[in-house]
Amino acid sequence: MTETTHMQTTPPDDGATSRSPEYRVAVDALRGLRQDLIHDAFAYRPLPGRHTNGWLVRRLPGRLREYAAWLPHAVITAAALITFALAAVDSGGPSLLLGPLCAVPVLLTMVRPVGAFWASMVSTPLAALLGSDWGEWPWAAGSFACHLTVLTVVAIRTRPRTAAWMWALTLVYALVADSGIGPTYMYGTNSGPMLVISALILLCVTVWHIRRHAEQEVTAQQTVTAHERSRRTLLEERTTIARELHDVVAHHMSVVAIQAEAAPYRVENPPPELEKAFATIRENAVAALTELRRVLGVVRAEDYEVPDAPQPTLADLDGLLANVREAGLTVEKAVTGAVRELPQGVELSAYRIVQEALSNTLRHAPGAAARVEIGYVLGGLGLRIVNGPPPNPSLIKPSPGAGHGITGMRERVTMLTGEMTAGGTEDGGYEVTVFLPVALPGEDDA
C-alpha cells in the first residue's frame, strides 16, 4: 500500500505585484518627489557662467565679453534686490527682517537650487505673519515675487519633473492657506494669480527644456551619422585599394605562372630538375592567386560565399616543408609530445607562423639550414623555428617588402593570447619561439 502526500506551497505575497496599479503609481510618484526635492535637497550646485561664444556676445568688446559670462548671476542678484525692495516698502512690518527673508531664497538659487525652493516655502508664511498689512494672503508682495523667481530659476536649473513637483507643492500650500487659516474672508486670496502665473512660467521653461533636449539628441545623432559615414568611406577606400592590389598582384602572378608553364618548352631537352623547378613555381603562383582571390572576396561583397576549401593545418606541414626544400632550403622537423587535434584557429595560426618564418629564412638567409620544432604540451602548443647563419652573405639581396612578417606573426599570437619571441642567435642565425595556449577539455565546462 502506497501513501502519497501532496504538498501545496503558496507563493509568498509580493507586495509589488499584489498592489493595485493606482497604488504603484502613487508610490512611484512619491519616490520621484523624494528623489527630486528631498534627497540631497541642499546639495552644493554652483551656477555655471554663461558661454561667451554666442552670436551676440562675440560682438562685444574684450572686457565686456569677459563680464558677459557673469550675466546669469547679475540677473539673479537684480531679482533679489527687487524682491528686497518689494518686501521692505509698504510691508507694514520690520523691513530689515522682511527684506532679507524674501531676498535670501532668490540668492540661494545660485548655489543650492532645490534648497532655495524650500527656503521660499518657509519664508512665505513667515513674511505673511510678520507683516501687519493683511491685504495680501497668503503671499505678500515680496514673497510673491520671491516665489515666482525661485520657481523660474530652479525649473531652469533642474528638469521638468522637478518643476511639476514644485508647482504641486505650491498648490498644496495654497489650498491649506485658503482653507480658513488666514484672513481670506476679509481681504480675499492671491493664490489664483500665483498658481496661474507660475503654471505659465513653468510651462514655458518645460517647453524650453524639451526643445533643448531635442537639439542635443539631433546633434548627437548627427555626430554618430558623420562618424558612420566616415567609417563607411574608409571601408570603401580600403576595398578600392584591395581591388587595385588584386589587379596588380594577380596580373604579375598570372604572368609568372604562364611563363613558368611555358619555359620548359622553350628549351630543347630540358633536364628534369629544371622542369620540376618550373612546375613548383607555377604551383606556388596558382596557390597564391587562389588565396588572394579568397581574401579579396571577403572585402569585395557582403554576399560573398567563402569557398569550401579547407584551411591549412599542422597536418599539411609536411607539404609545406617539401615545398621549401624544393626551393633550396634544408629544413628538419622535430615533434615532441602526444600529437592531438587542436582548435582550428591554433592549427591555422601555427601553420602560418611556420610558413612565414621559413619564407624569411629563404629571403634573408639563403643557403642556411633550418629546423622546425613542434611541442605538444599539456597547456598548449610550442613552436620553435630556427635557422643558421647564411653561408654566403653576399648572396643576400635587399627585400622590397615592408617587413610586416614578424608583425603579422605577433598579431596572430596576440589574438590567441600567446607569447612570442624573435631575435638573432649567438651564431648569427635567427630564432622564432611561440607558445599558443590551448584550454583543456575540462576547463571549457568549468
Side-chain angles (χ1 to χ4, degrees):
M1 181 175 180
T2 304
E3 180 180 357
T4 305
T5 304
H6 296 280
M7 299 182 62
Q8 182 177 1
T9 58
T10 303
D13 185 12
D14 190 0
T17 58
S18 61
R19 302 292 184 177
S20 63
E22 293 79 4
Y23 175 82
R24 290 197 296 269
V25 170
V27 170
D28 293 339
L30 293 178
R31 188 179 294 112
L33 172 63
R34 179 182 178 183
Q35 181 181 358
D36 293 341
L37 296 181
I38 298 177
H39 184 67
D40 294 336
F42 289 89
Y44 181 68
R45 294 176 53 194
L47 180 66
R50 176 185 173 88
H51 296 290
T52 58
N53 54 357
W55 66 273
L56 181 60
V57 179
R58 287 199 302 265
R59 291 174 171 79
L60 297 176
R63 179 72 61 166
L64 292 179
R65 192 183 302 114
E66 296 179 1
Y67 291 154
W70 299 96
L71 182 61
H73 303 77
V75 171
I76 294 177
T77 304
L81 293 177
I82 295 174
T83 303
F84 184 92
L86 290 175
V89 177
D90 297 332
S91 62
S95 58
L96 294 180
L97 182 59
L98 291 174
L101 192 63
C102 295
V104 168
V106 178
L107 296 175
L108 197 60
T109 58
M110 291 188 291
V111 288
R112 306 182 190 275
V114 178
F117 167 75
W118 290 112
S120 176
M121 293 293 293
V122 172
S123 67
T124 296
L126 293 178
L129 293 175
L130 292 175
S132 60
D133 186 4
W134 291 81
E136 297 172 338
W137 176 263
W139 279 277
S143 299
F144 197 94
C146 169
H147 199 64
L148 283 180
T149 304
V150 169
L151 287 178
T152 303
V153 177
V154 176
I156 292 175
R157 297 201 59 194
T158 56
R159 52 182 178 176
R161 191 178 72 176
T162 306
W165 280 120
M166 291 190 299
W167 189 87
L169 292 179
T170 302
L171 173 63
V172 171
Y173 173 76
L175 294 177
V176 173
D178 294 342
S179 62
I181 297 178
T184 56
Y185 61 92
M186 295 177 56
Y187 302 102
T189 176
N190 57 0
S191 297
M194 166 59 74
L195 296 175
V196 173
I197 296 175
S198 61
L200 293 176
I201 293 175
L202 295 180
L203 180 61
C204 294
V205 174
T206 301
V207 172
W208 174 78
H209 270 296
I210 295 174
R211 183 174 181 273
R212 182 183 180 186
H213 181 68
E215 290 178 350
Q216 292 176 352
E217 287 187 348
V218 170
T219 303
Q221 187 63 34
Q222 290 176 349
T223 303
V224 173
T225 303
H227 177 72
E228 292 295 331
R229 187 183 299 111
S230 176
R231 182 173 176 270
R232 186 168 56 252
T233 302
L234 179 61
L235 292 177
E236 291 176 354
E237 291 178 355
R238 288 182 176 179
T239 303
T240 302
I241 294 174
R243 291 172 180 171
E244 294 177 355
L245 179 63
H246 169 265
D247 294 340
V248 173
V249 177
H251 169 71
H252 292 287
M253 295 299 293
S254 299
V255 172
V256 170
I258 294 173
Q259 290 181 349
E261 184 177 7
Y265 301 99
R266 297 177 180 271
V267 180
E268 185 177 359
N269 299 324
E273 294 81 3
L274 182 62
E275 292 182 353
K276 187 176 182 180
F278 280 118
T280 302
I281 293 174
R282 183 182 181 281
E283 291 176 359
N284 290 333
V286 172
L289 281 173
T290 303
E291 292 193 9
L292 178 63
R293 291 191 179 99
R294 182 187 298 116
V295 174
L296 179 66
V298 176
V299 298
R300 182 182 291 271
E302 296 181 356
D303 56 350
Y304 175 79
E305 296 183 359
V306 180
D308 296 333
Q311 295 290 340
T313 62
L314 291 177
D316 304 317
L317 196 59
D318 291 336
L320 174 64
L321 298 181
N323 195 357
V324 296
R325 289 191 185 102
E326 294 177 358
L329 178 64
T330 302
V331 58
E332 298 178 356
K333 185 183 77 169
V335 180
T336 59
V339 179
R340 66 183 187 275
E341 185 178 356
L342 300 176
Q344 182 179 2
V346 176
E347 294 268 356
L348 176 61
S349 296
Y351 180 90
R352 294 302 186 191
I353 290 172
V354 174
Q355 183 183 38
E356 182 63 33
L358 295 179
S359 298
N360 289 339
T361 302
L362 285 171
R363 187 180 305 111
H364 302 292
R371 178 179 176 85
V372 177
E373 299 177 0
I374 303 174
Y376 290 87
V377 296
L378 187 61
L381 178 70
L383 297 175
R384 181 175 180 265
I385 304 96
V386 59
N387 63 267
N392 190 359
S394 61
L395 297 178
I396 302 176
K397 299 180 180 180
S399 175
H404 294 302
I406 300 296
T407 303
M409 287 190 283
R410 291 190 186 277
E411 290 177 352
R412 290 183 179 274
V413 174
T414 302
M415 180 180 62
L416 297 174
T417 65
E419 299 177 359
M420 171 180 166
T421 58
T425 59
E426 295 180 355
D427 59 352
Y430 200 83
E431 179 181 359
V432 176
T433 305
V434 175
F435 177 75
L436 302 177
V438 177
L440 297 177
E443 295 180 359
D444 296 336
D445 302 332

